[in-house]
Amino acid sequence: MHIGILQTGHAPDEITATHGDYDSMFHRLLAAGEFTFTTWNVVDGDFPDGPKAADGWLITGSKHGAYEDHPWIPPLEDLIRAIRDADKPLLGICFGHQIIAQALGGRVEKFAGGWAVGRQAYRLDGETYHLNAWHQDQVVELPEGAIVEGATTHCENAVLSYGPRIWTIQPHPEFDADVIRGLIQHSSGTVPSGLIAHARESLPEQTDNAAIAARMIAVLKGAA
């Protein structure tokens, strides 16, 4: 199965040097799915011809805001709607989670409650999952038809579904402790020091990335 990765940002150079860019992180996370991947760097204006260019799609995280005025955001929103209309599976992570909601009629904004960074607890399917987060923006108004599947006290719209084919998540199952450590070192300038301290202290603790990866693979394969 051929998965198209729509890369909406690039990891800091210091992280890319050791862990690869965001698309490489998803290659590793979803390895059990035995997919083939093609990356389109939409953040750089590189777009596929349309939804039929891949069997399923994934939109990455980004340092940009979904509500910002960038020339690549309107065509990305058009592509999201085309993927939905073509009934192709679609995953969104962090910025991907937000831009899908915005493209389908929801609203994203810089959250008044501030940042979430490092290991966080999410309620999903009646269970608690621990995942790494790195965001301030949130989905604050849901599109029509969106179902909230997961939340935290800090982020009430943390996991959304739009039928069986579109599934999105605010935290980063592709981020392991080493990536968070790199973000702390190289991309934490605007994050309050107390939150950075929490993120650093939680680095040795386990996350449930593998369980979320299994859910993502199931969505892509139509088995969710």
Side-chain angles (χ1 to χ4, degrees):
M1 186 175 182
H2 178 210
I3 304 303
I5 296 180
L6 302 173
Q7 192 157 246
T8 57
H10 298 290
D13 291 343
E14 297 87 353
I15 292 175
T16 301
T18 53
H19 295 82
D21 212 341
Y22 295 135
D23 56 348
S24 297
M25 298 177 196
F26 285 109
H27 294 179
R28 293 190 293 271
L29 180 70
L30 302 176
E34 299 183 341
F35 301 120
T36 60
F37 296 95
T38 299
T39 298
W40 282 273
N41 285 302
V42 295
V43 68
D44 302 319
D46 175 27
F47 278 83
D49 291 337
K52 294 183 179 180
D55 301 314
W57 296 92
L58 183 153
I59 305 177
T60 72
S62 176
K63 68 178 181 181
H64 301 292
Y67 45 78
E68 292 174 356
D69 183 18
H70 300 293
W72 51 274
I73 285 182
L76 177 57
E77 292 182 320
D78 288 342
L79 179 58
I80 288 166
R81 291 186 287 266
I83 291 169
R84 176 202 59 189
D85 294 345
D87 200 29
K88 298 278 188 177
L90 173 63
L91 300 172
I93 290 78
C94 198
F95 175 91
H97 166 80
Q98 297 161 9
I99 194 67
I100 290 170
Q102 180 172 288
L104 299 182
R107 185 164 64 88
V108 177
E109 66 180 31
K110 198 172 294 295
F111 183 53
W115 287 85
V117 298
R119 185 175 181 268
Q120 311 286 321
Y122 296 84
R123 293 294 294 171
L124 174 62
D125 298 331
E127 299 183 18
T128 299
Y129 293 82
H130 290 93
L131 298 163
N132 285 314
W134 198 277
H135 69 97
Q136 184 174 3
D137 294 350
Q138 290 193 24
V139 177
V140 295
E141 290 184 9
L142 296 177
E144 184 177 352
I147 301 298
V148 178
E149 294 195 2
T152 70
T153 54
H154 183 266
C155 183
E156 64 180 18
N157 299 318
V159 184
L160 301 176
S161 64
Y162 307 78
R165 299 290 243 173
I166 303 177
W167 193 80
T168 72
I169 187 165
Q170 178 60 65
H172 286 276
E174 78 281 18
F175 283 6
D176 61 16
D178 286 340
V179 173
I180 294 295
R181 185 177 291 108
L183 291 172
I184 289 170
Q185 293 172 347
H186 304 293
S187 294
S188 61
T190 61
V191 182
S193 59
L195 296 181
I196 292 298
H198 159 77
R200 186 178 288 110
E201 290 166 4
S202 67
L203 285 172
E205 299 183 41
Q206 293 286 333
T207 57
D208 294 302
N209 292 356
I212 299 303
R215 177 65 177 270
M216 294 167 68
I217 289 168
V219 172
L220 289 172
K221 292 190 171 184

